[in-house]
Structure formats: C-alpha cells, structure tokens
Amino acid sequence: MPKHHFNKMRFAYLSISILFSHALLAQNRDEKTDSLKTIQIPITTVIGQGTRDGKRVFINREQLNILQSTTLGETLSRTPSVQNASFGPNAGMPMIRSLSGNRVRVMADGLSLNDLSGITPNINTQIDLENLSGIEIYKAGANVLFGGRAIGGAINLIDNTIPKAVYKKQVQGSAVVEAGTNAGHRESISVKGNAGKRWAWHIGGSQQQHGNLRIPGNTKSDVAYDPNIDHLTADMAQVHVDRRSEMNLTLYRYLSRFVQENINNPEWGLSEFELYTNEPYSNIDGERVQNDPNPLYIAGQPEDTPRYNSTVLGIQDYAPVRKGIMPNSHADSRSVHVGAGYMHNKFRLGMGYKAIEGYYGIPAFAQLAKPKHTHNPAEMVEPTYLPINTRTLSHSGHFEGAYKSDNLFISEVLVRYSYQRGDDRELVGIYRVNKFDSKRHNVRGEVNQQKWRFWSGTTGVDFSDMQIESDGEQRYLPDVSGRELGIFTLQKFDFKRVNASLGYRRDWVARRAVHDEGYVVSRGMAGGKLSDRDFGLHQAAADIRWDISSNFFVRSAASHAERAPDFNELYAGNDHFAILVEENGDDRSPQERALSYEIGVGMKFQNLQLSGSHYTSSFKNYLYLAHTGISRSGGFLVKEWRASDTEISGWEAQLDYHYTWQEGSMLEFLAFFDLVKNRNTSDDDMRQWAEGDFMPNLPTSRYGLSAGGQHGRWMFNASLDRYLKQRFLGKNINLERPMPAYTMVRARVGHRFTILDRALLTYVDCNNLLNAEARPQNSPLKYLAPLPGRNISLGLRMEI
C-alpha cells in the first residue's frame, strides 16, 4: 500500500484533533457538565460481561471500556461460549460455540461488513471499537434475522457514526489516551453535537501502534523442538528437522545374491538397502538361486518393530527467533468517521462515512518463491524466509432512514444502506503476494408491527452484492462475485408468563468466479472448474420461555439453518501464504444444514442469579479444510475443502451476585464455565484418518471468576480465566498435541475526578498479570507464538 495513504489518514486525524480542541474552547462555560456525584454505573458495568435475555448478550459502552482489546475476538472472549479465534496478537474474530469465520456473521447496525476474515483469518474485520455504543452477541437462532452466514451466531456492532437523535448538549464528546508497557499506545477522539433543533453531527477518529510484543518464554512451543515431532507438525511449527533414517537390518533374514552381483552395475541403479530381503531366493538369469543368510538377523522380534530407525541430528527454525520476543507482532492502525442526521417528529435521515487502515504482522514466515527441485548440490540455494504482513484499507459510506407510523398495523419502517470498498493485501516481507479489491453494497429494510394485545413482530428484506478482484503473483482466489437476497419475518407472542417467537426466512445466494489465464485453478477434488453456483436456503427458528415464578424460568429453542459455501470453499486453489497452506476449493460443495436445539434454566434469589443451558447442533455437509497428508517444499501443508457430518454440543452456566449498600457503592461477583465438543458423526474413512473423532483446533473448556465494585470516585475490576488442557483432541493426520492449561488474570483500577468542570477517569489496566505462557488450543498459530506477556497500561478518559 503506498505510504501516502498513511499520511492522508494522519492528516485527517490531526484535523479532527484540532476540531476537538476548538469545540472545547468554544463551548459555553455557563453550561455545566453533570456532577460526578450523579453518574450512575449500571450493575453489569463492573464485570463487563453484558446483560442477557436468553437470546442475546448486550455489552454497553461502559462495559466495552473495561473489556476492549486489540481485536474483536479478544474483546468478547470473556462472554460464556465465546472465545477468540486468535491468529496472532493483531487478528482475532469471535468463535461462538466452536464456530467462527464464514459461520458467524459480523454486522454494523444490521448490515454485513465487508468481512474477509472468513476467507483469510489474518485480515481483521475493519471496525473501530472506540466508535461503538454497544455490541449484540447472538449465540444461536440468528439465522432468521441475518441469513445463512449466521448459522453459528452473529455479532451486531452498534455504531455511533450516524446520530440517531439530537443530543442533550450542544457539544459533547470524549477523548482517550492510553499507553502500556507491552501494548504500545492508543488515542481516540469523538466529538458530537447539534446544529439547530433538528440536525445532529458526529466526528471522530482513533489510532494505535505497538512494536514487537514481549512474551514470557520462547516464542515456539516445546513441541517444535521435540525429536519425535512428525513432519506435518514440524511444518506447522516452522522448523526444519535434520533427521537421518537407518534401515533396521536385524529384521531381514537374507542377503540378496542378485543385488550382491549387480550392486556396482550402473544399469541397475541398486542401493545397499536393497541388499536385505526376506525372500529366500533370487532370480538370476532365469534361475532360482538361494540367498545368503543375513548375519545381523535377530529372530523373534515383535511384528510392530519399526523397519527404520530415525535419528534426529538437529532442529532449526525457518527464521531466527529471540527468547522473550514474539517475532513480527507489530501493528499500526488508524480510523476516521464522520456522520450527520436530521430528526423530525415522525422520521429521521442520516448519512455517514468511515475510513480505516492498518498494517500489522503475523508471527509466521514464508518463502517468497519455492525452490526448484534439483539433484545437483551446486544448484541448491539456501531458502530465505520472510515475515508475513498484512495491509488493509477500507472506505464505507452509510445511509439510514426511519419513519414512525401511527398506522394500526405498522409502528416503524427502517431502511439502511451501505457501500464498502476494501483494499486488503498479504505481504511476504515487503513483497505483495495477494491483493483483494472488494466492493460490497448492502440494503436492509424492516417493518415493525404495532403490538396488538399479545402479538408483535418484524418483517424485512435484505440484499447484498459483493465483488472481489484479486491480484498477485501467487494469488489463491480468482475474481469472484456474489449476491444474496433474503426475505424474513419474526413474530413474537407475549402471554403473561410465557414469551415465544417464531420466524422463517428464505434466501437466494449466487456465487460466481471469473476464468482468466492469470489464476492457477484448484488441484483439489473438484479439478478447479470454477462452476457457477446458485443456492436456495431455508431458515426457521422457534423460541419459548416460561416464567414459572418471579424467581425461576425455563427456556427452549430450536432452529433449522442452511448456509451456502463461500468463495474460498468453492474456488480457492493456490498457496495461501497467510495461513501457510496450499488451499484447494471444491466447486461442487453442497450447502450446509444444521438442526439445533437448546434448553436453558434460570433462577433468581434476592441478589443472586444463576442461569445455564445445554445445546446441540447436528450439521449435514459440514464444510472444513481437510488435511491430505501432503506438504510441499517451503512448509506448505496441502489442504482441501470437504463436506462431512458433524455434531456440536456443549454446556454453559453463569452465576452473578450483586450487593449495593449505599448510592454509589456496590460489589459484584461473577462465575461462569463453558464446554464444547465438535464431534465427527460421519462414516467418512478419510475424515477419520485425517481429522479423527473431533475437529482439530477445538476451543478448550474453561471457567472464569470476576469481582468488581465501586465506592465513591473509585472503581475496580479483577478477573481470572482458567483454560483447561484439551481432552477432545482431533488429528492433523497425526494426533493433535494438547497445549498446557493456563490462567489469565486481569485487573483494573480507576479513579474519577474533575478539572475545570470536565469529568475525567484515570485508570491502570493490567493484562496477563501472572505473565503466563498461554497458547490457545483453538489457534492455528499455537505452535508459533503464545499470547502476549504481562502488560500494564495507564490511561486517561475525558468527557466534555
């Protein structure tokens, strides 16, 4: 990406800073800010895990201030059954009940983002976490509202770019400055206000930057240096194993007479290893000749005695690494967002613009070009491995309109539109190997019904059109395009103690690929025909909750969901540098189908709340990137997309206790656990051989404890999360290695005060306080790098 892009963003960010300062000076001093004594912090703010209604979890802005991290996945990872699909410290998306990527839809205000993380996990969804007022998490049953890509759940970001109403003050805003010992620094500015009685505006921006991060020990797992490491795991750990294999000569009864007589004859090309045999005779010139006995033979050895003895002479990293430093873990990003809205008694209109860019590293290395095969030692070249980096730039425009109706049947009509354009690049060193120019149009309309006695509902339509043009010497996707149209209705019923909902959706999905000479098609099972695909999908969901008493409820839900394969699952076919895989799609892949059930219970006793649920999802034609057992030169595993049956099941539970003894003084305690299994239920021998009984990279079981409180101007929060050693192991041809259990401890202390009638909060935030070596089992990079080590940040937040 040209350097001038970054300079333009820095100029825009500086301009926003000047506007912000001007707004501060221009504000009327007679307009007093709210007294600190009247600020009320909601109960759920302290712990920061969000309010829950059984169908979704909502995390508000105050909670995000506590939970916010570098990536969306890490930010939401303290929610039960939501873990971070970590791809290094700078890329991570939410993994809901073991599902992520193409199965978890990420949206802003109900519109799909231009998200390539499902195609390549090194590319983050382009969002500014500072520009959100909240996040909705749908763990299940979101397919009716949001389509097949929400088959595993959905994340809806409540964006601040377009004002939804006029503000209480003429000018208001906030600024944040934070710097850490192991997290670099970040700054953000947000200013909003009114222009007259009906117009509201918003402008803001943020930036963050850090260098290579520190870690508590070695960057690579001990598995990488185990002499017994298999070649596929060695490729994933990016190590060369200098292994000498010697034939176990004691297993062979005879010495071949034929080989003895011809071993020096170049016409036969015989080796010493072919001398040893268990055949009693050799055929020489048409005659049967008795072979000589092997003096080294030892009789009576077990049948499983290895025929070759392997000796490891040394293990060497692809690229040099340093103890205590995570290689290539740098990051630099910035964003700008501007919006305005017009408010009327019965309608509102708004427009907004956002630009986000980033440049960050992945703690992995690759060869820019694979070495050519040669038998001549003089022609052999020592391979050079360069770090893998990512550059991203996105621009998006947004429109929103809402009309409130006095109609007997309709209460509100809502229309949203967005246009997003992205430039995402994968680099090996500074050299571009893949580039994606993407364009996406999104339209969504909703009609909310007037509540009639016990009945209300929402009916709507959404449409998206996406195009991706790819470029690069070794690109792994052709130019592709896709369209999705969905029509849905969700009806709700409220009968005193019983609440129920019933919904249905119909989707039409088209996938297209462009044939061109510059793209090397897949060598996988499909043969790379790049066939056009069209899918008709059905979504249905039902939910019912019975409040047996004011202190106890039971809830059950069921859904039928279908998902169309995405572009990479159909059309990929080359070296995917960012994930170190030769990825091969199958353009014959069928649509996924999932039948899901969930049952939950909850109880409340004074200040104590307890809730829990059990869920099961049976997938037909579950699409997964399967091992072939082949690896190419340069350490690229060869994988291909396949379909098979899978069952996902799990448990989650949460306990909350809240105690308030006076206004502004409270304590809260929370505990939770979650467990998930992604189990092979097919009769597929190939899957059993390659992946085993469970899918590899399955998130581990865990439990967490939190405590928080506030007293006067002080507030604190502390949490402990214990990730257990994985018991449900899959295979990467060979049995997956379990990562050690680890404990993550986080603590935060804040103090509120005023200066010149401005409300300020200063805080100290400590992450990985125990400096634990943490390697998430669900991370594809677990052998290459752990989570960052201890970080202590000092921050200041100011409200206008």
Side-chain angles (χ1 to χ4, degrees):
M1 180 183 298
K3 188 175 181 180
H4 68 267
H5 283 305
F6 281 92
N7 293 332
K8 287 181 180 178
M9 293 291 283
R10 288 191 176 99
F11 175 77
Y13 187 82
L14 179 61
S15 301
I16 290 173
S17 301
I18 295 172
L19 287 171
F20 178 74
S21 302
H22 176 74
L24 283 176
L25 294 172
Q27 188 181 10
N28 189 342
R29 288 293 181 182
D30 294 334
E31 183 185 12
K32 300 293 184 181
T33 58
D34 294 340
S35 169
L36 285 173
K37 294 183 180 180
T38 63
I39 293 177
Q40 299 295 320
I41 297 182
I43 292 175
T44 53
T45 298
V46 177
I47 300 301
Q49 285 201 319
T51 56
R52 306 176 305 280
D53 63 6
K55 301 176 184 179
R56 65 165 193 156
V57 176
F58 180 73
I59 299 176
N60 61 33
R61 180 66 251 179
E62 289 79 8
Q63 295 162 337
L64 281 175
N65 291 339
I66 297 174
L67 296 173
Q68 185 169 314
S69 300
T70 305
T71 67
L72 180 62
E74 186 179 358
T75 299
L76 303 182
S77 63
R78 295 212 70 254
T79 304
S81 292
V82 181
Q83 295 198 29
N84 180 22
S86 171
F87 203 79
N90 305 313
M93 295 301 294
M95 176 176 279
I96 301 177
R97 296 175 176 177
S98 83
L99 300 177
S100 62
N102 294 331
R103 297 186 179 93
V104 174
R105 173 147 268 167
V106 180
M107 304 163 292
D109 292 331
L111 294 177
S112 295
L113 291 173
N114 200 6
D115 179 14
L116 298 185
S117 63
I119 293 175
T120 178
N122 65 301
I123 296 179
N124 268 324
T125 299
Q126 297 299 289
I127 58 174
D128 180 1
L129 291 170
E130 288 289 348
N131 190 37
L132 303 179
S133 60
I135 300 177
E136 295 176 316
I137 305 173
Y138 295 83
K139 299 179 186 178
N143 54 306
V144 167
L145 287 176
F146 307 120
R149 195 171 173 183
I151 195 170
I155 307 294
N156 189 32
L157 311 172
I158 311 302
D159 191 86
N160 289 327
T161 302
I162 299 178
K164 306 293 192 296
V166 293
Y167 300 109
K168 293 181 179 180
K169 295 192 295 182
Q170 194 68 20
V171 178
Q172 62 189 84
S174 64
V176 177
V177 178
E178 182 180 301
T181 60
N182 193 31
H185 60 87
R186 69 181 179 98
E187 300 82 31
S188 72
I189 294 173
S190 176
V191 187
K192 52 191 176 183
N194 300 324
K197 295 182 179 181
R198 298 193 181 278
W199 285 93
W201 54 269
H202 167 89
I203 185 170
S206 67
Q207 68 174 6
Q208 62 180 17
Q209 186 177 42
H210 64 75
N212 287 340
L213 302 173
R214 291 189 295 276
I215 52 178
N218 293 319
T219 182
K220 293 188 179 179
S221 167
D222 293 341
V223 172
Y225 307 110
D226 184 349
N228 296 318
I229 189 172
D230 62 86
H231 78 281
L232 293 179
T233 305
D235 287 339
M236 290 186 285
Q238 295 210 318
V239 292
H240 292 294
V241 181
D242 185 4
R243 181 181 281 113
R244 177 182 295 170
S245 295
E246 296 180 346
M247 197 172 183
N248 187 351
L249 304 180
T250 65
L251 292 175
Y252 300 91
R253 295 174 177 268
Y254 305 101
L255 302 176
S256 170
R257 289 282 301 276
F258 176 83
V259 175
Q260 292 180 69
E261 294 181 6
N262 293 279
I263 194 169
N264 295 320
N265 186 345
E267 293 183 4
W268 289 102
L270 298 172
S271 68
E272 182 182 354
F273 293 117
E274 293 172 283
L275 178 64
Y276 299 89
T277 180
N278 282 316
E279 296 294 330
Y281 300 95
S282 291
N283 192 323
I284 300 176
D285 296 331
E287 295 185 9
R288 197 175 184 215
V289 180
Q290 176 74 44
N291 286 328
D292 297 331
N294 176 15
L296 301 178
Y297 173 70
I298 299 175
Q301 297 185 67
E303 292 183 0
D304 58 352
T305 302
R307 294 189 174 273
Y308 288 87
N309 295 319
S310 180
T311 303
V312 173
L313 303 179
I315 298 178
Q316 182 181 8
D317 295 302
Y318 284 7
V321 294
R322 291 172 52 197
K323 185 174 183 179
I325 298 294
M326 188 188 305
N328 203 46
S329 53
H330 62 89
D332 186 0
S333 65
R334 54 193 49 81
S335 69
V336 172
H337 36 87
V338 180
Y342 176 79
M343 319 299 164
H344 194 269
N345 294 335
K346 288 193 174 184
F347 70 88
R348 61 180 172 87
L349 299 172
M351 298 182 66
Y353 164 79
K354 293 185 289 186
I356 304 175
E357 70 170 346
Y359 172 59
Y360 52 89
I362 304 297
F365 299 83
Q367 296 181 58
L368 185 62
K370 293 182 180 180
K372 295 182 179 179
H373 183 72
T374 178
H375 292 284
N376 186 355
E379 297 177 357
M380 296 182 66
V381 178
E382 187 71 20
T384 300
Y385 289 87
L386 301 174
I388 298 172
N389 294 300
T390 303
R391 282 193 184 275
T392 61
L393 174 64
S394 72
H395 298 273
S396 59
H398 305 263
F399 169 82
E400 183 175 303
Y403 175 76
K404 292 186 177 180
S405 171
D406 296 329
N407 186 283
L408 182 63
F409 303 102
I410 298 173
S411 64
E412 184 182 38
V413 178
L414 180 64
V415 178
R416 290 189 174 106
Y417 166 79
S418 71
Y419 171 72
Q420 304 163 49
R421 185 163 188 168
D423 179 344
D424 299 290
R425 307 185 181 195
E426 295 179 348
L427 313 173
V428 174
I430 61 173
Y431 302 100
R432 186 184 74 190
V433 292
N434 280 296
K435 178 178 182 289
F436 302 104
D437 288 321
S438 57
K439 301 175 185 177
R440 179 190 284 270
H441 296 269
N442 284 296
V443 182
R444 183 178 178 91
E446 295 180 8
V447 176
N448 295 317
Q449 302 163 208
Q450 293 281 8
K451 187 170 183 179
W452 182 74
R453 295 185 179 179
F454 57 84
W455 182 18
S456 63
T458 298
T459 300
V461 57
D462 56 25
F463 171 80
S464 70
D465 179 279
M466 185 173 185
Q467 297 179 349
I468 301 177
E469 295 181 357
S470 59
D471 190 16
E473 293 183 1
Q474 301 190 48
R475 58 183 176 137
Y476 64 92
L477 269 184
D479 295 346
V480 294
S481 63
R483 291 185 176 182
E484 299 183 10
L485 172 65
I487 300 174
F488 65 91
T489 184
L490 182 65
Q491 301 299 309
K492 301 177 182 179
F493 308 93
D494 185 358
F495 304 95
K496 295 183 178 179
R497 293 181 178 271
V498 177
N499 297 284
S501 65
L502 182 66
Y504 174 77
R505 180 187 181 102
R506 174 67 167 162
D507 286 313
W508 294 268
V509 177
R511 302 277 190 249
R512 300 291 185 266
V514 177
H515 296 254
D516 65 83
E517 296 180 358
Y519 176 67
V520 178
V521 297
S522 166
R523 287 176 285 179
M525 298 175 67
K529 296 180 180 178
L530 306 184
S531 305
D532 293 346
R533 298 298 306 276
D534 294 280
F535 302 90
L537 309 178
H538 299 272
Q539 322 287 345
D543 184 287
I544 186 168
R545 169 173 163 156
W546 178 25
D547 293 320
I548 298 175
S549 69
S550 59
N551 295 323
F552 185 74
F553 75 85
V554 294
R555 174 181 171 268
S556 63
S559 68
H560 170 86
E562 299 180 356
R563 181 183 74 90
D566 218 322
F567 298 123
N568 57 325
E569 295 163 323
L570 294 171
Y571 305 127
N574 211 328
D575 290 342
H576 190 163
F577 281 85
I579 62 173
L580 309 172
V581 164
E582 180 190 299
E583 182 178 353
N584 294 293
D586 186 342
D587 56 12
R588 305 166 302 175
S589 294
Q591 61 200 47
E592 287 183 342
R593 292 183 173 89
L595 188 60
S596 303
Y597 303 95
E598 181 174 355
I599 185 167
V601 297
M603 61 173 292
K604 179 180 179 181
F605 181 73
Q606 295 182 352
N607 297 325
L608 182 70
Q609 297 183 62
L610 175 65
S611 61
S613 63
H614 173 67
Y615 56 86
T616 300
S617 296
S618 298
F619 276 80
K620 183 73 174 176
N621 298 323
Y622 181 88
L623 297 172
Y624 66 102
L625 196 54
H627 282 273
T628 64
I630 303 171
S631 62
R632 311 279 190 209
S633 59
F636 280 81
L637 303 180
V638 179
K639 293 188 176 183
E640 55 191 22
W641 286 98
R642 298 176 187 159
S644 189
D645 295 346
T646 286
E647 180 185 82
I648 296 172
S649 62
W651 295 85
E652 62 182 61
Q654 184 164 320
L655 181 147
D656 302 80
Y657 178 79
H658 175 79
Y659 176 68
T660 301
W661 64 91
Q662 66 181 46
E663 183 179 353
S665 298
M666 53 84 71
L667 286 173
E668 186 176 18
F669 299 93
L670 180 145
F672 78 93
F673 85 88
D674 55 36
L675 174 152
V676 64
K677 301 178 185 178
N678 192 317
R679 188 168 62 91
N680 177 9
T681 57
S682 69
D683 296 326
D684 188 338
D685 293 336
M686 183 176 292
R687 179 177 176 184
Q688 183 63 44
W689 168 74
E691 278 74 38
D693 294 327
F694 299 95
M695 287 301 296
N697 300 327
L698 187 65
T700 186
S701 302
R702 62 175 180 167
Y703 62 84
L705 304 171
S706 299
Q710 67 179 75
H711 181 64
R713 295 172 180 258
W714 289 92
M715 58 178 294
F716 79 94
N717 175 264
S719 63
L720 179 152
D721 295 306
R722 179 67 173 173
Y723 291 78
L724 305 180
K725 187 175 181 179
Q726 184 60 274
R727 296 183 294 120
F728 311 114
L729 296 171
K731 293 167 64 178
N732 297 301
I733 305 299
N734 303 288
L735 188 66
E736 185 182 21
R737 303 284 190 102
M739 294 294 99
Y742 60 90
T743 302
M744 300 297 287
V745 176
R746 182 173 183 175
R748 180 184 175 103
V749 178
H751 179 67
R752 300 191 304 273
F753 58 97
T754 58
I755 295 180
L756 300 176
D757 295 328
R758 305 299 176 200
L760 292 98
L761 170 67
T762 183
Y763 58 89
V764 177
D765 201 345
C766 305
N767 288 307
N768 195 2
L769 199 55
L770 301 180
N771 206 30
E773 182 176 322
R775 299 181 184 274
Q777 189 74 32
N778 62 327
S779 172
L781 302 183
K782 55 180 172 283
Y783 302 126
L784 294 176
L787 299 182
R790 182 188 296 116
N791 172 64
I792 300 176
S793 293
L794 178 63
L796 178 68
R797 177 179 292 270
M798 179 173 64
E799 304 290 338
I800 302 175

